[in-house]
Amino acid sequence: MLGGMWTGQKQGITDGEMDGQVDVVVVGAGYAGLAAALRLKDEGIDFVVLEASGRVGGRVLSEVREGGAVVDQGGQWVGPTQKNLLALAERFGCETFPSWEEGRHIEVWRDGSRVAYDGAAPEAGPGIDDYCRVTTLLDAMAKSVDLDQPWLTPDFELWDSQTAESFFRAQTGDEDAIRRLALAIQGVWSCEPREISLFHVVFYIAAADGYEQLMETRDCAQDSRFHGGAAAPATALAVELGDRLCLNTPVEAVEQDEQGAMVRTGSGVIRARRVVVALPPPATSGISFTPTLSISRRGWLAHSPMGRVAKVHAVYTQPFWRAAGLSGIATVYDDGPVGVVFDNSPADASMGILVGFVYGDRVSDWAERPAAERRAAVLETLAAIAGPQATDPVDYTEKIWPYDEFAQGGYEAYVTPGGWTGYARDGWRTPSGVIHWAGTETAGRWNGYIDGAIGSGYRAADEVLAAMVDAR
Ligand SMILES: Cc1cc2nc3c(=O)[nH]c(=O)nc-3n(C[C@H](O)[C@H](O)[C@H](O)COP(=O)(O)OP(=O)(O)OC[C@H]3O[C@@H](n4cnc5c(N)ncnc54)[C@H](O)[C@@H]3O)c2cc1C
């Protein structure tokens, strides 16, 4: 056995003396890397986690603001079928509370008109019939998807050769239905319908077990939030990993040889028998691999750009919109930056928080504007939804994910047309020698979500464990 005692911490990472050897190096301490590490720890494997940034959680980033508000700048919600995340939270004693959805929801249309509705989704309004017909069709298509070997799906190539946009336009000529469908793509995949493979959309719906699961709140993906923020389980897990977790340690290169791999960082080199890389695709492409990755793996990464999203929070002394009978939930079809708004107040409503999402094409223009203009444009939309008091928050914060050094976008990477067909069979998550691939983008269940990230970490760790047993 090659793995020996991990001595990197004892030697002091900060003074550049990190060299050591372990059985497994895990690259990345988002939920995928952390889950892989936890499984390895539970199995008594000698490992170390190398994380580029100064914190754990990756695309989950819970921030305590000066006034005490906790805002989730990245991933935040958990749904009842996301068993990996719920079990992890339970293990570390992290509790959830239901997302607020009482009151009337609002749709804002292009002409500025505001339409209030009750219930989970609008039952009337421009384009609603064709929107429902097309999404029902997507759901039916999703039932045929093979989640573990997606290339075995009967219409795999046909669907992967189209964009969501071309499919929508073939199904309906109703521009309002197209607008609704476009907002759904932006809202779930944070890209435009013209950019994403239809197969990827259908696969993703299947991975969540239905379109409604992706879109709705109660009993669906937006069901609950975490007290203290969605990074709470990650932070607790990091404590358990102790000195096996090295922050501020970006991996620069992974070189495979007969004995395993050399993992190079700015502070030293670690020899490992196996490596789990748990990064989003652009970050993976930023690492130098020797030998070079296969054409399939590189093709897959090249066809997996990150979505583009910004999350904005406005904090108020109270959730004043609730007194007016409003839920704070809104979908916005006008030309402003914000597409969707939710009430993100704490469970005890001790303050009021609205969260807005800016995504797809909307974020590209908005993000380049001066900060004051960005803020004014967001608050204008919040006022249209919640009332004029919304223009005067006690705190305002935004996180523009395409500018994040490590994630380079969000929520997740989507696959462009032809990506699945050309490269997935060998490039999606098949190990490359002693390198095992994790990260939410490699998940077959809840792909793109925290739950999928955790599941991918467990799967990669299980691959490692099986390989180590085989090597005995
Ligand atoms: C705005 C936003 C909202 C979202 N909302 C939700 C939601 O409500 N619910 C939900 O379930 N999901 C949500 N998601 C998606 C969810 O956050 C992600 O699916 C999940 O966090 C991905 O985890 P991961 O471990 O696969 O990747 P990441 O979290 O990206 O982790 C990768 C880690 O690798 C590190 N890294 C990068 N390069 C290197 C390197 N060279 N060496 C070492 N380390 C490196 C990064 O710093 C990072 O910590 C949202 C995402 C965003 C951005």
Side-chain angles (χ1 to χ4, degrees), residues 27-34 50-53 55-60 73-78 82 85 221-222 249-252 278-280 283-284 286-287 306 309-311 357 399 401 404 406-407 409-412 438-441 447-451 453 456:
V27 185
Y31 268 98
L34 292 171
L50 305 180
E51 162 59 42
S53 74
R55 61 175 182 86
V56 298
R59 282 172 270 173
V60 177
Q73 303 278 19
Q76 65 172 47
W77 283 295
V78 59
Q82 297 179 342
L85 177 53
Q222 283 70 236
T249 310
V251 168
E252 294 165 0
L279 309 182
T284 302
I287 292 178
M306 296 303 284
V309 66
K311 221 171 152 182
F357 291 83
K399 168 78 177 169
W401 282 92
D404 184 87
F406 304 106
Y411 325 115
E412 73 281 333
T440 195
E441 285 80 8
N447 184 289
Y449 286 74
I450 303 167
D451 191 80
S456 78

Side-chain angles (χ1 to χ4, degrees), residues 38 68 100 191 218 238 250 261 324 396:
L38 187 64
W100 181 267
C191 66
R218 194 59 63 235
Y396 171 89

Side-chain angles (χ1 to χ4, degrees), residues 1 3-6 21-26 36-49 241 244 272-276 460-469 472:
M1 169 165 136
M5 283 302 293
W6 165 243
Q21 64 176 24
V22 290
D23 282 334
V24 185
V25 167
V26 177
L38 187 64
R39 170 81 35 109
L40 295 171
K41 183 172 189 293
D42 287 346
E43 294 297 324
I45 301 294
D46 185 31
F47 70 92
V48 64
V49 183
L241 297 182
R244 297 281 143 164
R273 296 170 74 192
R274 297 265 154 187
V275 181
V276 173
D462 288 343
E463 288 173 9
V464 167
L465 292 166
M468 288 172 77
V469 168
R472 276 200 192 130

Side-chain angles (χ1 to χ4, degrees), residues 61 130 384:
L61 169 55
D130 272 14

